[in-house]
Amino acid sequence: MAGERRRRRANGEGTIYQRASDGLWVGMAYVHTTTGVTKRRPVYGHSFDEVREKLDRLKGDSARGIAVPDRALTVAGYLHHWLTQVAESKRATTHRGYESAVRLHIVPVLGTKRLDKLTGADVRRLIAVCRSKCLCCLNGYDKHREAADQCCSAGRCCSRTPSKRQIQFIHAVLRNALSSAEREELVTRNVAKLVQIPAPRYKVGKGLSVAQVKTLLVEAKKTRLYALYVVAATLGLRRGELLGLRWTDLDLDLDRATLTVEQTVQRVGGRLVVDEAKTEASEATIPLPKITRRVLLMHQERQAKERIDAGDVWHDHGLVFPTSVGTPIEPRSLNRHFDGIRTRAGLPGVRLHDFRHTVVTLLLELGTPPHVVRAIARHADLDVTLSIYAHTNLDAMREALDKIDWEAE
């Protein structure tokens, strides 16, 4: 054993010693762990040189920013790391959804569980708990109710359980987090993949008839946001895209006339956030129809007068559809504005998003090639475009079925 002795290691190089009990060599060094805390971690070997090599490799990884797995890491601890280090790069609205699923659903059930001990049975227990919990009780919705005897506040749980879509989302968040943990070699496999969640059935909006669109636009023309509804009805922009549209995104020259979608306005975590478009496919340049270009030019003149009237109160953000003082419009405020229009038009069941489905349906009925319609609607998949048309084109189906005539002469 005397031949195994080596020089005293300097500060920061770690400690190497031989255990008297079994003769095993042990190395100790301070390294960065996945919990964000610097801890003293051991390595073991049958010789000084073996331990020194392991120790140098451990310290080298730490110096390069590769965090060492913390064996005491809990699900809650790792999810905090994942939200702050990995999922932070997602869109603000996406990250907010992840954070809510982690905080409200996953951590209360699995938070204290050791990450490397997580099993498929634990994931199934999480899903079972989520399916049975009342969202009103969980989120304290009753605190905001005017009457104290409504819903759960009356002592009778309303059992407003999460929808199939919410359950699927909670499972997807955990699955994505564990996939990241698997890549970081913190777990040997992603146990969330062992649990299958039935996919929910999505309802596709029906879109509007030409007569309905015209009725809505007649009412919208009486408001300062008439141009916004014309853009929605002719190009099918999403709500956030309409509110995030800037004058620099428009080319109103007669020979070019284009609109580029680059950003959206969303409310996330109690504040308005200007974010990038929903998907990469959503960022696109679209030709402007002549009617849309004309209305936007008139809207530009009207906004110039509003800016003058507002004076020092005007806060210019370069937006096409701001408030009367230039600031971004609250997404829910736009919903309320549209609610007034649809009520006056006698179409209480219509949604703002139905304009988007209407554009898809009308273009396909006019014989526009599906791939062109997909490009205009900026759908990520052609199947989405065709599913909207298949759901809405009842007249075409009726015409086809009416050709069947088995009546005896």
Side-chain angles (χ1 to χ4, degrees):
M1 292 300 175
E4 290 281 6
R5 295 187 182 279
R6 297 292 186 273
R7 68 173 177 82
R8 182 181 179 87
R9 294 172 68 82
N11 287 338
E13 290 185 347
T15 302
I16 298 178
Y17 63 92
Q18 188 177 29
R19 287 197 311 214
S21 59
D22 56 7
L24 195 67
W25 286 86
V26 182
M28 303 286 288
Y30 285 98
V31 293
H32 298 291
T33 67
T34 48
T35 56
V37 179
T38 300
K39 292 186 177 181
R40 203 172 185 221
R41 294 299 305 274
V43 294
Y44 304 93
H46 296 289
S47 68
F48 178 94
D49 290 336
E50 181 185 354
V51 170
R52 182 181 62 182
E53 183 180 345
K54 289 182 178 179
L55 199 61
D56 290 345
R57 184 165 57 249
L58 183 70
K59 291 169 70 278
D61 288 345
S62 180
R64 290 193 298 272
I66 302 175
V68 176
D70 192 327
R71 293 192 181 116
L73 186 61
T74 63
V75 172
Y78 178 72
L79 289 176
H80 174 74
H81 159 75
W82 179 69
L83 286 172
T84 56
Q85 301 295 326
V86 181
E88 183 67 27
S89 60
K90 301 291 185 181
R91 295 175 68 242
T93 49
T94 302
H95 185 271
R96 177 64 176 175
Y98 286 175
E99 188 277 332
S100 295
V102 168
R103 173 171 48 85
L104 295 175
H105 302 287
I106 301 175
V107 167
V109 180
L110 302 178
T112 58
K113 188 79 177 178
R114 263 182 56 172
L115 182 67
D116 59 349
K117 298 294 184 181
L118 198 65
T119 66
D122 293 322
V123 179
R124 282 188 284 273
R125 180 167 64 89
L126 166 68
I127 300 304
V129 171
C130 289
R131 281 176 174 157
S132 61
K133 68 173 58 175
C134 174
L135 292 177
C136 289
C137 297
L138 176 68
N139 296 295
Y141 290 152
D142 294 324
K143 297 178 182 177
H144 308 288
R145 298 184 186 276
E146 295 180 359
D149 60 345
Q150 291 183 3
C151 193
C152 304
S153 61
R156 299 184 303 274
C157 182
C158 67
S159 299
R160 183 189 167 196
T161 56
S163 65
K164 290 183 179 180
R165 175 69 186 93
Q166 288 173 299
I167 296 296
Q168 184 193 45
F169 180 72
I170 294 167
H171 177 261
V173 170
L174 180 61
R175 187 184 67 239
N176 291 344
L178 292 180
S179 291
S180 178
E182 190 176 21
R183 288 191 294 271
E184 295 180 47
E185 298 183 344
L186 300 178
V187 294
T188 56
R189 62 176 178 172
N190 187 343
V191 294
K193 291 183 178 179
L194 303 177
V195 181
Q196 298 295 318
I197 302 297
R201 296 177 61 183
Y202 295 98
K203 292 183 178 181
V204 181
K206 294 184 176 181
L208 308 171
S209 66
V210 174
Q212 288 175 321
V213 172
K214 288 182 176 180
T215 301
L216 287 167
L217 291 181
V218 166
E219 291 300 325
K221 197 168 186 178
K222 303 172 185 176
T223 73
R224 60 181 296 275
L225 293 179
Y226 171 59
L228 180 147
Y229 296 109
V230 171
V231 173
T234 55
L235 296 177
L237 267 63
R238 302 175 178 91
R239 181 185 65 175
E241 294 168 349
L242 290 164
L243 298 180
L245 192 64
R246 300 164 297 187
W247 288 111
T248 54
D249 299 327
L250 297 175
D251 186 344
L252 297 177
D253 183 271
L254 181 60
D255 296 327
R256 294 186 295 269
T258 58
L259 179 152
T260 302
V261 178
E262 289 189 349
Q263 64 177 26
T264 65
V265 171
Q266 305 284 348
R267 174 158 285 280
V268 181
R271 61 189 180 92
L272 281 181
V273 174
V274 178
D275 204 352
E276 60 186 10
K278 181 179 179 182
T279 63
E280 187 175 345
S282 298
E283 298 181 3
T285 299
I286 315 167
L288 279 176
K290 294 178 181 178
I291 181 176
T292 310
R293 175 183 171 274
R294 287 197 307 269
V295 171
L296 283 170
L297 285 172
M298 290 187 292
H299 179 73
Q300 191 175 43
E301 294 178 4
R302 177 174 183 165
Q303 190 179 107
K305 295 178 181 178
E306 284 185 339
R307 186 184 293 107
I308 295 172
D309 293 339
D312 294 338
V313 180
W314 183 270
H315 297 279
D316 195 18
H317 290 262
L319 296 173
V320 178
F321 305 118
T323 65
S324 57
V325 293
T327 54
I329 293 177
E330 283 273 359
R332 289 185 179 180
S333 294
L334 180 59
N335 285 350
R336 288 191 291 269
H337 189 272
F338 181 68
D339 183 58
I341 291 174
R342 69 182 184 180
T343 300
R344 292 192 297 272
L347 298 168
V350 171
R351 305 173 306 157
L352 179 61
H353 198 73
D354 289 336
F355 279 127
R356 180 167 172 77
H357 293 170
T358 302
V359 172
V360 172
T361 303
L362 291 179
L363 288 175
L364 288 171
E365 287 183 349
L366 290 171
T368 309
H371 70 279
V372 175
V373 179
R374 172 185 173 275
I376 293 173
R378 295 160 293 110
H379 286 143
D381 196 317
L382 184 61
D383 289 343
V384 177
T385 308
L386 295 178
S387 67
I388 293 173
Y389 181 64
H391 187 80
T392 59
N393 200 16
L394 293 175
D395 290 338
M397 289 190 285
R398 183 176 291 106
E399 181 180 351
L401 291 171
D402 282 345
K403 294 179 181 179
I404 300 176
D405 188 1
W406 289 337
E407 185 177 356
E409 296 182 356

